[in-house]
Amino acid sequence: MPYTTVIFDLDGTLLNTLDDLAAAGNHVCAAHGWPTFTPDQYRYKVGNGQPKLIERIIPAEYAGDGRMFEQVIGEFRAYYDAHKEDHTAPYPGVMELLDHLHAAGVRLAVLSNKDHVAAVPLVERYFGTSFDLVQGRIDAFPPKPAAPITRYVLDQLDVEPEHTLYVGDSNVDVATGHNAGLAVAGVAWGFRGRGELEAAGAEYVVDEPAELERVVLG
C-alpha cells in the first residue's frame, strides 16, 4: 500500500459546497447593495478560508475597513451556518471511496480552510465517523497552504509525511501538501479543474474517486 494515511480537503474535494457558499456571499453583498457574483466566479474566491473570501467580495472602497470587515464576516457566518446544507452534497463516488479506504485500514482525516466550527458538523452530517480527525481553520495557525496546521494534523495523527497523501482540488491544496513534505493528489472533479492542479505540480491528478482509490492502495 503506497499510502497508509490520507488527509482530504473538504470544499470541492469531498463536498460540493459551492452553491451554498455563493448564496451566503451573495446574500451579504445584496444586503449592502454591492455587486453579486455567479457560482463559477466563486470557484476562484473560495479556498483560502472565509476571511479571505470576505476580502474578495467586499468592494475595493472598503479595503482596510476593519469595522466593515467584521460586520460582513459575521453576517456571512450567520447566514452560511443556517443554510450550509441547502445544496451541499458529497461528490458522486466519494462515499464508496471512503468505505473502501477505511476497510483497507487506511487512516483518514480532513484538513480544511473552512472555519473549524463549520467544518466539523458538516463532516459529521455527511460522513459520520469515517475520519480519525477533522481540522478546520482556527486562529492558532495561519490558514493553508502555510505548513504549521498541516504539521499539527500529522502530529495529532502520529503519522509520517512519506506515508501520507494530501488530497485537494486547487493550487492551494497542492501547496498545502508540498509545504509539509506530502505528496498530493489533485481531484479534477472539484472547483478548479485538471489544468490548475497539473500546473501547480500535483503528483497525481484524478478524474474520479475510483482512480484515487487505486493511487492510495496501489
Side-chain angles (χ1 to χ4, degrees):
M1 187 187 301
Y3 299 102
T4 57
T5 303
V6 180
I7 304 173
F8 290 88
D9 173 51
L10 182 58
D11 297 67
T13 300
L14 295 170
L15 290 176
N16 186 351
T17 57
L18 187 63
D19 286 343
D20 287 335
L21 289 167
N26 284 342
H27 170 80
V28 170
C29 289
H32 289 271
W34 301 336
T36 57
F37 305 92
T38 67
D40 274 347
Q41 287 174 305
Y42 274 96
R43 292 179 186 274
Y44 296 93
K45 296 182 183 298
V46 301
N48 296 92
Q50 290 178 1
K52 183 59 69 174
L53 170 59
I54 299 307
E55 289 179 12
R56 289 168 176 163
I57 66 174
I58 288 180
E61 59 262 34
Y62 293 103
D65 186 332
R67 288 185 61 187
M68 179 60 75
F69 176 86
E70 292 301 326
Q71 177 183 342
V72 171
I73 197 169
E75 293 168 351
F76 176 92
R77 285 169 168 162
Y79 186 92
Y80 184 69
D81 185 60
H83 296 276
K84 62 181 179 291
E85 297 177 18
D86 287 1
H87 304 286
T88 287
Y91 285 99
V94 162
M95 300 299 297
E96 293 82 358
L97 167 69
L98 298 178
D99 287 345
H100 293 168
L101 294 182
H102 189 268
V106 178
R107 299 194 68 189
L108 306 175
V110 172
L111 172 58
S112 172
N113 265 341
K114 184 184 289 296
D115 286 356
H116 188 71
V117 295
V120 170
L122 271 180
V123 172
E124 291 177 350
R125 161 72 175 83
Y126 290 102
F127 304 111
T129 58
S130 297
F131 294 96
D132 296 311
L133 176 70
V134 178
Q135 182 63 60
R137 190 202 67 80
I138 55 176
D139 291 340
F141 297 103
K144 303 184 311 181
I149 195 165
T150 313
R151 292 179 180 142
Y152 172 76
V153 168
L154 293 171
D155 288 344
Q156 294 301 300
L157 294 170
D158 192 24
V159 296
E160 298 298 326
E162 58 266 30
H163 303 300
T164 302
L165 182 70
Y166 191 74
V167 179
D169 68 298
S170 72
N171 55 7
V172 173
D173 296 314
V174 177
T176 295
H178 289 173
N179 288 346
L182 308 180
V184 177
V187 299
W189 64 74
F191 292 170
R192 301 290 183 82
R194 172 175 285 274
E196 177 170 307
L197 296 163
E198 291 177 341
E203 281 78 6
Y204 315 93
V205 179
V206 299
D207 293 308
E208 57 184 24
E211 189 178 352
L212 178 58
E213 180 180 337
R214 293 191 290 272
V215 169
V216 176
L217 300 182

